[in-house]
Amino acid sequence: MAFKMTDKVTWVGKIDWELRRFHGDEYSTHRGSSYNSYLIKDEKTVLIDTVWKPFDEEFVENLKKEVDLKDIDYIISNHAEVDHSGALPLLLKEIPDVPIYCSANGAKILKAHYHEDWNFVEVKTGDTLDIGESTLTFIEARMLHWPDTMFTYMSGENILFSNDAFGQHYASELMYNDLVDQAELYQEAIKYYANILTPFSPLVTNKIKEVLSFELPVDIIATSHGIIWRDNPAQIIEKYLEWADAYQENQITIVYDTMWGATRRMAEGIAEGIQLADKDVTVKLYNAANSDKNDVITEMFKSKAVLVGSSTVNKSIMSATAGILDMIRGIGFKNKKAGAFGSYGWSGESVGLITERLKDAKFEVVDEGLKAFWNPDKDAIDQCVEYGKEFVKKI
Ligand code: FEO
């Protein structure tokens, strides 16, 4: 499959409907993904990025239907991660001397991945490449989300090839933002931001401001995953600015794990208290052990506060809760409040340990947390309801 986006630009990527896990097992892709590669035919012929290695043969074969490979003048590698560079080794077997335009870090990373002495041309922000009627301008975007990442802007067609930024793991033959289900699209876009880009939010804000300061007209944002933004592409830029700015909705998310249901009942009691105290707040409960961790992270991203619960096991906390706490430590959410709760039978360390880990993840823990002894009776559940009411007052 390939399709023409404009007179000069053809999408030559791969839609991966089967993908369910990305970055090893770190990111769930319920709706698959795509690896978007773009072929530009101006006076010069340019290929922007490739696809993941499992699809390299298919990619090269399909590319040959669009262009004689020997006619490719330049390859641009906006990002060296293997989902975009994976077909380079096979492609470059056929055209080994074609220059690869990339950032200095991109060249280092590509060399470290493939151990090939390709014809790298290192570029930095503001460097241009004249390809005929259009000019390509390179904009480094370090740490969005790798040190090598860059964007490429094509004048004339007014396309920003943004690589991972503004992308989504979302397979769709429709390929454009105005054609797909908007709820699905934004669910995947916010999940992508929450899980992958949150650690770099200050850089996101600065980079967007820098790009906007160039006052380049942008008619299309051509990402490297998911759909292409052609209808009001500014909408996703505006969303990124919102998401990068310590984003929160009027939501409290309760994440817990439970051995025999005691901590679950505590969670439900706390949720009841929250709702009694504030009818407008959205409360969502997730058992960390049977929920998708990236979906849970996305809900935490949307929240103004979170409550994390676990029963005590072996003087510690349950593994699924520990996993989520470790993830949020790395992600580095800003401006979120938190509390801890959990049931116990004898030693009862869980609430203290969760509290410590929430603080370590830079959450503002608003109280000492709540413990319940063995199976909570009516009084203990009433305490949970009361705790929920009080928690609302503290956030
Ligand atoms: Fe889609 Fe960072 O690679």
Side-chain angles (χ1 to χ4, degrees), residues 22 79 81 83-84 145 164 192 224-225:
F22 190 77
H79 179 29
E81 195 163 5
D83 48 330
H84 309 296
H145 66 124
D164 286 331
Y192 194 95
S224 60
H225 294 294

Side-chain angles (χ1 to χ4, degrees), residues 22-23 33-35 79-85 144-146 148-149 163-165 169 192 196 224-225:
F22 190 77
H23 283 158
S33 191
S34 67
Y35 318 105
H79 179 29
E81 195 163 5
V82 294
D83 48 330
H84 309 296
S85 65
L144 296 181
H145 66 124
W146 272 21
D148 68 308
T149 303
N163 200 267
D164 286 331
H169 286 304
Y192 194 95
I196 294 179
S224 60
H225 294 294

Side-chain angles (χ1 to χ4, degrees), residues 142-145 191-205 243-244 297 301 327-334:
R142 283 184 200 171
M143 298 316 298
L144 296 181
H145 66 124
K191 176 178 175 181
Y192 194 95
Y193 190 96
N195 285 272
I196 294 179
L197 289 168
T198 303
F200 312 109
S201 283
L203 300 173
V204 170
T205 307
W243 292 340
I297 292 292
F301 174 73
M327 284 178 81
I328 61 175
R329 183 177 178 279
I331 284 172
F333 289 129
K334 299 273 187 311

